[in-house]
Amino acid sequence: MDIHKELDARGLICPLPILKAKKALSDMHSGEILKVLATDPGSVRDFQAFARQTGNDLIDQQALQGEGREEYVHLLRRR
């Protein structure tokens, strides 16, 4: 899978990861994929709701063990 843009939102709390993702997606073409890295546990449900509300596809979400903390990876396909 080709990732067209990556957004590092680690260390940010709600609503900043969503707001930064929204801005990044607005600069992308339909069908392109955005990868968002986050550390906020609430980002899992936030990105699920964001995808439902905006019509962008939430392709995948993963929780990974990062540098001493859990990190979350969200893959969104621009509608």
Side-chain angles (χ1 to χ4, degrees):
M1 176 181 333
D2 290 335
I3 305 297
H4 298 92
K5 187 179 275 193
E6 188 169 316
L7 172 63
D8 186 352
R10 292 177 289 191
L12 302 178
I13 57 172
C14 183
L16 290 175
I18 293 292
L19 293 174
K20 289 186 173 283
K22 183 177 180 180
K23 181 172 179 358
L25 286 165
S26 72
D27 295 334
M28 296 172 66
H29 298 289
S30 181
E32 291 185 331
I33 296 175
L34 172 65
K35 177 179 181 180
V36 182
L37 304 173
T39 50
D40 181 4
S43 68
V44 174
R45 70 176 182 280
D46 291 343
F47 275 98
Q48 291 168 357
F50 174 75
R52 278 193 309 273
Q53 292 170 357
T54 62
N56 294 299
D57 292 329
L58 183 60
I59 300 169
D60 191 26
Q61 290 184 301
Q62 295 179 12
L64 308 172
Q65 191 57 40
E67 300 167 8
R69 62 185 174 205
E70 200 159 48
E71 294 185 358
Y72 304 91
V73 179
H74 311 281
L75 296 179
L76 294 151
R77 179 178 290 122
R78 172 80 158 92
R79 63 169 188 208

